[in-house]
Amino acid sequence: MTLPALQNTGVFYRRILSQFPQDISLAFAYGSGVFKQQGTSQGQMEKNMLDFVFAVDDPVTWHTMNLLQNRKHYSILKLVGPTKISSIQNDHGASVYYNTLVPVDGRLIKYGVISTDSLIDDLMHWKTMYVAGRLHKPVKMLVQSENGKLRAALVSNLKSAVTASFLMLPESFTEEDLFLQIAGLSYAGDFRMVIGEDKSKVVNIVRDNIQHFRILYSNILRDCSQVVYKPAQGQLEVDKSPEGQFIQLLALPRTLQQRITKLVDPPGKNRDVEEILLQVAQDPDCGAVVQQGISSIVKSSSITQSIKGIATAGLWKSVSYSSKKLMKMWKGWRRKPSVSQLS
C-alpha cells in the first residue's frame, strides 16, 4: 500500500529540494506553512516558516555533501565535521538533526535529517514518536522511495494512531473526534505545549483539514474489524468490550506497550506483558492509562530533542525561533474561541 499523498508538490517545493543532496529516501513538508490552519489567513500562512523532514540512508555521506553545498545552514557544529554531526543526530534526542531559520527562495525553512533506519524504528515502535507523530497528520509528501520496509512502516504508524485513539475515545464518536484525538497524540506530554505552542493548535490543525485526514485514514478505517465506520454520516462505533480493548492493546507499538506495563506493574513483579495488558483491558480507566503511556514517550523525547536543538541551531537562532513560537502562542490566546464557537 502506498501512503496517500497530496499530489501537487509544485515547482516551489521541487526548487527547494534541488538545493540539497538528492540521496533522500523520504522527504515531506508539514506544519502551518504548508497546510492552512483555522484562524490563519493565506497571507499569514505564506509568512510562516516551512518545515521539512528528510530521511537518508547514509547520514554521514549526506551531511558531508550538505556541508559542501550548504555550509551556512549549520551552527558552529559544522566545525566538528559530518561524522560527529551524524553521531549527534543518531545518538541524542529523537535521532533528528535540525537546521532552522534557513533562507531559501524567499522563505525561511527548517529541515530535520533522520536516518531511514531510525525513522522506520520510530514508525513501527514509537520509540520517540517525534517524526512518527508528525506523520499522524497530513503532510505534503515530496519524495518516497521504493523501500518496502519504509512504506510498510508508514502505514503501520497510521494504524497504530487509529488503534491508540480508539482506546481513548468512547464507544460512539464522530470523524472529527477521531481526527482531533489522532492529531493530539504527539502533543500529549510535550512540554512545549505548556510554553511555546499555541494551546488551540490541535483544533486549528484539524478543523480546516478534515478532508486531508480522510484521505489518510479512510481506507484503514474501512478495513478495520474493530470499528463500524459510517463515512456518509461521519460516525464511528468501536468495540469497547474487554476483549475488544485487549485486541487493540496487543496491536499497539512495542514502546507504548512497555510504557503501559511500567505504569501498571508494581516493581519486582515482572509479570508477562500480555497478562498486564489483559488487566488494563478490563480497567474502566484503560484510555487514561494509554494516554499516560503516550505522554511519557512524548515528554522525554520533546525535552531531549529541544535541548539538542539549542546546539544544532546555535544560540541566536534558538532564541529567535523560540520568540516566534511564543508570539504564535500569544496570538493563539488572543483569538481563542469561546465554548459556544467550538460546539
Side-chain angles (χ1 to χ4, degrees):
M1 177 182 172
T2 302
L3 191 74
L6 298 168
Q7 297 302 319
N8 183 23
T9 56
V11 172
F12 175 69
Y13 289 100
R14 292 200 295 273
R15 280 176 60 88
I16 290 176
L17 278 181
S18 71
Q19 300 186 41
F20 294 93
Q22 296 303 292
D23 186 18
I24 293 173
S25 62
L26 186 83
F28 64 88
Y30 66 97
S32 59
V34 181
F35 291 94
K36 189 176 184 305
Q37 295 184 5
Q38 186 170 271
T40 304
S41 69
Q42 188 65 32
Q44 288 171 316
M45 182 180 161
E46 289 171 2
K47 292 176 185 175
N48 287 342
M49 185 161 61
L50 289 168
D51 298 314
F52 295 86
V53 168
F54 304 148
V56 302
D57 291 343
D58 183 349
V60 175
T61 300
W62 197 90
H63 283 295
T64 300
M65 295 167 67
N66 200 41
L67 280 163
L68 290 171
Q69 289 179 229
N70 300 303
R71 192 171 180 83
K72 288 183 178 178
H73 293 184
Y74 291 80
S75 70
I76 196 169
L77 290 178
K78 60 179 168 277
L79 300 176
V80 303
T83 302
K84 186 63 179 174
I85 285 172
S86 299
S87 175
I88 292 166
Q89 173 188 308
N90 292 324
D91 300 339
H92 303 282
S95 299
V96 191
Y97 189 101
Y98 271 103
N99 285 323
T100 190
L101 294 174
V102 174
V104 178
D105 274 9
R107 292 286 293 271
L108 284 178
I109 76 165
K110 175 180 78 175
Y111 63 95
V113 184
I114 185 170
S115 77
T116 306
D117 287 343
S118 293
L119 174 58
I120 290 171
D121 189 38
D122 197 32
L123 293 169
M124 292 295 296
H125 306 302
W126 286 7
K127 186 177 178 183
T128 68
M129 277 186 72
Y130 200 84
V131 179
R134 278 149 183 74
L135 285 162
H136 291 159
K137 298 172 276 292
V139 302
K140 192 177 280 290
M141 199 63 70
L142 307 172
V143 175
Q144 192 174 347
S145 73
E146 295 301 316
N147 183 324
K149 279 182 69 178
L150 178 54
R151 285 174 177 260
L154 287 163
V155 176
S156 176
N157 180 49
L158 297 180
K159 289 180 177 177
S160 295
V162 168
T163 303
S165 296
F166 283 171
L167 286 159
M168 291 184 280
L169 286 163
E171 187 173 3
S172 180
F173 49 90
T174 66
E175 271 185 327
E176 185 174 290
D177 293 333
L178 175 63
F179 298 150
L180 286 167
Q181 189 71 58
I182 288 172
L185 292 176
S186 61
Y187 298 115
D190 189 337
F191 82 98
R192 293 170 302 175
M193 293 302 286
V194 178
I195 182 165
E197 290 286 7
D198 182 351
K199 301 297 180 296
S200 53
K201 183 166 187 168
V202 174
V203 172
N204 294 344
I205 289 168
V206 173
R207 285 282 163 91
D208 277 358
N209 293 291
I210 290 283
Q211 190 54 40
H212 295 322
F213 275 92
R214 285 195 188 113
I215 291 168
L216 267 186
Y217 289 103
S218 60
N219 286 341
I220 289 170
L221 293 171
R222 284 193 183 96
D223 294 342
C224 180
S225 61
Q226 293 287 303
V227 70
V228 176
Y229 178 40
K230 304 170 186 173
Q233 292 84 30
Q235 292 287 328
L236 301 97
E237 294 171 13
V238 71
D239 184 356
K240 298 300 284 186
S241 69
E243 294 80 12
Q245 294 196 139
F246 182 52
I247 291 168
Q248 292 158 24
L249 287 163
L250 288 175
L252 291 176
R254 184 178 63 203
T255 305
L256 180 52
Q257 289 181 341
Q258 291 169 346
R259 295 297 179 108
I260 290 169
T261 300
K262 194 173 179 181
L263 284 167
V264 174
D265 204 32
K269 257 201 159 184
N270 297 321
R271 289 185 296 163
D272 182 73
V273 172
E274 285 195 16
E275 183 186 344
I276 295 164
L277 294 181
L278 182 59
Q279 176 191 325
V280 174
Q282 298 171 72
D283 190 330
D285 294 325
C286 174
V289 175
V290 173
Q291 176 87 32
Q292 281 181 273
I294 291 170
S295 295
S296 69
I297 297 171
V298 173
K299 183 178 181 180
S300 56
S301 66
S302 69
I303 291 171
T304 54
Q305 182 65 34
S306 293
I307 292 168
K308 183 168 86 171
I310 296 171
T312 61
L315 185 59
W316 180 85
K317 281 188 175 182
S318 295
V319 171
S320 178
Y321 180 67
S322 298
S323 67
K324 289 176 191 293
K325 284 286 187 182
L326 288 168
M327 184 60 70
K328 282 180 76 174
M329 182 178 73
W330 169 246
K331 287 178 179 175
W333 277 344
R334 291 187 65 186
R335 68 168 181 261
K336 189 173 183 180
S338 66
V339 174
S340 62
Q341 287 175 298
L342 286 172
S343 58

